[in-house]
């Protein structure tokens, strides 16, 4: 569950205010908005990468407003995927677990499990340099899910992909969400993406975020 | 046309040195105990300076690249001073600094001026500025977002640095090291003023060239110069082999 109350956050001259938002446990929510509407500011605030001015952020039953990013239990897939060029795919999937000092066999099991869920078992020993857009997305998704976070945040993850790969990723995201039951907030400006995935819809505009009926996705295009 | 004249000038300079010196001169130079001492002292002091420069420049550049803090602009400007300051002035400033009460206090425990530590300090004063510049370019080219993702994955700031930024910066670190080493090898002005030119005590390779020239021993001076040319070309070669052209060009 993600619950945001009266959030006020600033990014330079830009600010978002009075943001109230609730994504129930296990729900796939989509946040839509134009470039510069504050989507990324909101996302960084939720992750703890941006200090908020006021308001509260809850993940599950914990108030995480003052916690460090790593203590919030949030898996992030950033806009440009930001894979680590010095690591193999396997090291990406193991990274968060190694930081948490999990036993090696538990890590190996989890890596296998993720690799088969995401269809990247054949890539495990590759470095990220030669991966295709879709493959990179899968690795970024696996890295974000590896430590079983309560919440998954996706920042325009599919914007750089071609149409066919995008449809494939929609199916994968739905599948992952069904399998893991992770509460998801997916940021996009692509309406067809919203239609394909949203169980709940939010719209960022006029420096705040409002909930919108799913019909709005159909109506607008 | 103009550029080819310059290229010819560079190559001709090296060719003149190479043809002037003979294997006999080179061997003669290497057999002299003074010159062997100066080769050894040069290698040791340059390596120490390089390690010291990396130790200071990597965290300094990382801080400046990743964080905005009061005084950052001033820091950035101050870091350019050693690069533009005339070398002799660096030497005189160091000499005076170690005459002040804090400097004298240090001298009471470790003799610095006209002793070996002064060589490393003189080299470090200039070389470190080049290392910082190189590392700053390096870290600025590495997107910060990867470290931010690492933070969400459970890293603290130090882990994000050591596990993400540092391995990605390794080429830049190697460039900074070669650059600092090469700078230190050629450092002469500050050393002459701050360390003196005493044979078998504070004599590094540039000092040797100077001393040999001043007594009219041109053959030995050129032979030692050849050693330094070979060392400099070797460093340049290492930098090219590791594909470090871009950052090197940006700094220089």
């Amino acid at each position: 569950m993600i619950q945001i109350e009266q959030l006020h956050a600033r990014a330079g001259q830009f600010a978002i205010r009075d943001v109230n938002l609730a994504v129930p446990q296990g729900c796939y929510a989509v946040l839509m908005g134009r470039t510069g509407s504050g989507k990324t500011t909101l996302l960084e605030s939720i992750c703890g990468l941006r200090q908020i001015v006021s308001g509260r952020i809850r993940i599950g039953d914990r108030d995480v407003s003052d916690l460090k990013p790593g203590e919030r239990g949030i898996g992030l897939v950033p806009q440009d995927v930001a894979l680590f060029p010095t690591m193999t795919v396997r090291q990406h999937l193991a990274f968060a677990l190694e930081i948490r000092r999990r036993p090696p066999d538990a890590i190996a099991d989890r890596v296998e499990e993720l690799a088969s869920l995401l269809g990247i078992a054949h890539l495990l020993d590759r470095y990220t340099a030669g991966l295709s857009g879709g493959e990179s997305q899968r690795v970024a998704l696996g890295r974000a899910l590896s430590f079983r976070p309560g919440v998954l945040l996706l920042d325009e993850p599919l914007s750089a992909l071609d149409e066919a790969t995008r449809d494939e990723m929609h199916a994968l995201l739905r599948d992952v969400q069904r399998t893991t039951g992770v509460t998801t907030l997916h940021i996009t400006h692509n309406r067809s993406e919203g239609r394909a995935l949203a169980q709940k819809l939010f719209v960022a505009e006029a420096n705040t975020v409002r909930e919108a009926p799913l019909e709005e996705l159909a109506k607008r295009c | 046309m103009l550029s080819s004249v310059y290229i010819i000038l560079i190559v001709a300079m090296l060719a003149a040195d190479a043809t002037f010196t003979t294997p006999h001169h080179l061997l003669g130079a290497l057999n002299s105990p003074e010159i062997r001492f100066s080769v050894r002292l040069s290698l040791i002091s340059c390596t120490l300076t390089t390690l010291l420069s990396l130790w200071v420049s990597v965290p300094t550049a990382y801080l400046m690249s990743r964080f905005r803090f009061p005084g950052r602009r001033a820091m950035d400007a101050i870091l350019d001073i050693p690069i533009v300051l005339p070398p002799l002035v660096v030497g005189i400033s160091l000499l005076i600094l170690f005459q002040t009460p804090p400097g004298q206090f240090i001298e009471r425990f470790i003799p610095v001026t006209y002793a070996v530590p002064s060589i490393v300090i003189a080299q470090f004063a200039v070389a470190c500025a080049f290392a910082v510049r190189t590392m700053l370019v390096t870290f600025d080219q590495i997107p910060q977002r990867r470290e931010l993702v690492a933070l969400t994955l459970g890293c603290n700031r130090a882990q994000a640095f050591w596990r993400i930024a540092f391995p990605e910066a390794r080429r830049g670190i190697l460039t900074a090291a070669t650059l600092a080493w090469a700078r230190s090898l050629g450092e002469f002005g500050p050393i002459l003023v701050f360390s003196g030119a005493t044979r078998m005590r504070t004599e590094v390779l540039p000092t040797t060239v100077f001393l040999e020239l001043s007594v009219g021993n041109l053959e030995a001076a050129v032979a030692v110069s050849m050693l330094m040319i070979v060392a400099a070309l070797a460093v340049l070669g290492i930098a090219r082999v590791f594909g470090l052209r871009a950052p090197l060009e940006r700094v220089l």
Side-chain angles (χ1 to χ4, degrees):
Chain A
M1 185 188 73
I2 309 170
Q3 199 175 357
I4 296 173
E5 288 164 13
Q6 290 298 321
L7 178 77
H8 178 192
R10 216 178 291 158
Q13 296 293 311
F14 179 82
I16 49 172
R17 282 169 213 280
D18 303 324
V19 177
N20 291 289
L21 174 155
V23 182
Q25 186 67 41
C27 176
Y28 201 116
V30 169
L31 171 65
M32 300 216 22
R34 291 171 203 282
T35 312
S37 60
K39 299 183 304 245
T40 301
T41 307
L42 174 65
L43 181 128
E44 288 175 348
S45 305
I46 299 175
C47 292
L49 297 173
R50 178 169 296 286
Q51 192 138 29
I52 60 175
V53 180
S54 62
R56 303 317 294 174
I57 299 167
R58 283 190 183 79
I59 302 289
D61 48 11
R62 287 193 307 159
D63 184 334
V64 300
S65 318
D66 302 315
L67 294 185
K68 294 204 174 96
E71 298 166 346
R72 297 187 176 203
I74 295 174
L76 170 67
V77 178
Q79 207 163 14
D80 50 7
V81 297
L83 296 180
F84 307 137
T86 56
M87 293 186 199
T88 62
V89 171
R90 189 189 301 279
Q91 287 171 315
H92 277 84
L93 301 184
F95 185 78
L97 302 172
E98 278 168 3
I99 293 288
R100 287 170 174 71
R101 298 177 185 283
R102 296 283 156 78
D105 47 343
I107 295 178
D109 288 349
R110 181 63 178 153
V111 168
E112 293 303 322
E113 186 186 349
L114 284 166
S116 78
L117 174 68
L118 299 167
I120 50 175
H122 59 294
L123 302 173
L124 281 176
D125 294 314
R126 291 255 304 266
Y127 282 91
T128 56
L131 299 181
S132 73
E135 289 167 343
S136 299
Q137 288 295 345
R138 286 163 192 257
V139 176
L141 196 57
R143 177 180 63 183
L145 290 168
S146 61
F147 58 104
R148 301 182 195 278
V151 164
L152 182 64
L153 293 184
L154 306 161
D155 189 4
E156 309 206 9
L158 311 181
S159 52
L161 302 181
D162 61 72
E163 202 71 30
T165 317
R166 195 177 291 187
D167 288 344
E168 202 181 293
M169 286 300 292
H170 289 167
L172 179 75
L173 284 170
R174 273 197 299 266
D175 194 34
V176 162
Q177 209 255 346
R178 217 176 18 243
T179 319
T180 61
V182 64
T183 308
T184 308
L185 181 61
H186 178 133
I187 293 180
T188 179
H189 58 250
N190 183 319
R191 211 161 286 144
S192 71
E193 216 164 286
R195 272 200 303 276
L197 295 162
Q199 295 170 347
K200 212 171 170 54
L201 176 69
F202 297 94
V203 177
E205 58 189 11
N207 291 27
T208 188
V209 174
R210 66 177 173 85
E211 188 172 350
L214 286 177
E215 293 77 57
E216 212 165 291
L217 284 168
K219 201 168 59 190
R220 276 203 194 169
C221 55
Chain B
M1 176 62 194
L2 266 177
S3 52
S4 65
V5 170
Y6 183 49
I7 300 291
I8 290 168
L9 176 69
I10 298 173
V11 176
M13 277 182 347
L14 297 183
D17 287 337
T19 49
F20 186 87
T21 195
T22 62
H24 177 71
H25 288 150
L26 270 175
L27 280 177
L30 282 173
N31 275 331
S32 132
E34 285 86 7
I35 292 177
R36 277 172 46 181
F37 176 90
S38 108
V39 168
R40 205 172 319 127
L41 187 57
S42 268
L43 292 181
I44 292 172
S45 62
C46 290
T47 307
L48 275 178
T49 301
T50 303
L51 293 176
L52 206 58
S53 298
L54 288 183
W55 184 56
V56 172
S57 67
V58 171
T60 304
Y62 187 70
L63 189 76
M64 289 177 63
S65 169
R66 292 298 187 254
F67 301 95
R68 295 288 171 267
F69 50 89
R72 188 182 166 283
R73 274 167 166 272
M75 197 168 153
D76 194 41
I78 289 170
L79 282 165
D80 274 339
I81 293 177
I83 295 175
V84 295
L85 220 54
L88 276 173
V89 177
V90 173
I92 289 179
S93 311
L94 284 170
L95 191 67
I96 304 289
L97 174 65
F98 277 85
Q99 300 305 315
T100 60
Q104 286 293 307
F105 180 76
I106 296 171
E107 296 265 14
R108 258 199 287 166
F109 300 97
I110 317 162
V112 176
T113 311
Y114 302 128
V116 173
S118 67
I119 297 173
V120 175
I121 293 174
Q123 290 172 343
F124 171 79
V126 180
C128 189
F130 283 89
V132 170
R133 283 283 153 234
T134 314
M135 290 317 303
L136 198 55
V137 172
T138 304
F139 285 127
D140 281 346
Q141 282 178 337
I142 299 175
Q144 192 185 4
R145 206 189 285 268
R146 296 176 192 145
E147 287 144 65
L148 297 179
V149 171
L151 291 183
T152 70
L153 291 170
C155 286
N156 56 37
R157 284 261 173 211
Q159 285 170 320
F161 171 76
W162 284 111
R163 287 172 172 259
I164 308 298
F166 189 77
E168 280 192 55
R170 60 183 190 270
R171 290 183 155 209
I173 292 171
L174 199 64
T175 312
T178 50
L179 205 57
W181 198 87
R183 260 323 286 201
S184 316
L185 186 72
E187 206 62 75
F188 174 58
I191 294 177
L192 181 69
V193 177
F194 187 37
S195 316
T198 319
R199 296 224 100 151
M200 305 296 281
R201 270 197 65 191
T202 55
E203 182 182 353
V204 285
L205 288 171
T207 321
T208 308
V209 175
F210 172 73
L211 289 175
E212 297 292 352
L213 266 181
S214 62
V215 296
N217 190 354
L218 191 57
E219 289 78 11
V222 175
V224 173
S225 301
M226 261 333 271
L227 289 180
M228 284 167 46
I229 289 171
V230 169
L233 290 180
V235 162
L236 201 62
I238 292 173
R240 297 261 159 149
V241 165
F242 285 96
L244 306 171
R245 277 185 69 175
L248 205 67
E249 278 165 4
R250 257 167 226 233
V251 174
L252 292 179

